[in-house]
Amino acid sequence: FASVVHNQRLIVAYAGAGDASQVRVRSMSLSQADAAEEQVPAVCWSDSRGLCSTPTLALVGERVLLGARESTDLRVLESGDAGLTWIPLKGLDRND
């Protein structure tokens, strides 16, 4: 698992082993009680391609980055709202 604190929220990413290697995320407020509902921010296919296995979380400015290794590649998503929603990482595509 991996965790970060951003904007008064604790964000935790975790995955199981084997067939349960799907990365899941929970984000909860540190200042008030709220439900930390489990999210599946991206697909993990049965052949372990996609957002599977050991997750990594990092803070870059106001963005939270969520990554997972796929063979020699790195799959990365970003969140601008402290882990509530996730989108593909901006800035790597020529159209961004």
Side-chain angles (χ1 to χ4, degrees):
F1 75 93
S3 64
V4 297
V5 173
H6 182 59
N7 289 344
Q8 291 297 307
R9 295 192 73 77
L10 172 65
I11 305 160
V12 178
Y14 53 94
D19 291 340
S21 65
Q22 172 73 59
V23 172
R24 293 171 171 82
V25 177
R26 291 183 188 255
S27 173
M28 66 189 85
S29 174
L30 295 174
S31 59
Q32 62 186 24
D34 70 348
E37 293 185 25
E38 185 175 77
Q39 301 175 37
V40 176
V43 68
C44 171
W45 290 280
S46 61
D47 60 358
S48 295
R49 289 183 18 236
L51 203 63
C52 309
S53 194
T54 306
T56 299
L57 285 169
L59 293 174
V60 178
E62 289 299 310
R63 300 185 298 175
V64 178
L65 304 184
L66 169 62
R69 185 176 160 184
E70 179 188 306
S71 186
T72 59
D73 294 333
L74 181 64
R75 303 293 180 200
V76 183
L77 300 176
E78 72 173 89
S79 175
D81 57 9
L84 297 174
T85 59
W86 298 92
I87 61 173
L89 179 64
K90 295 178 187 171
L92 297 179
D93 188 351
R94 285 182 271 175
N95 296 325
D96 286 340

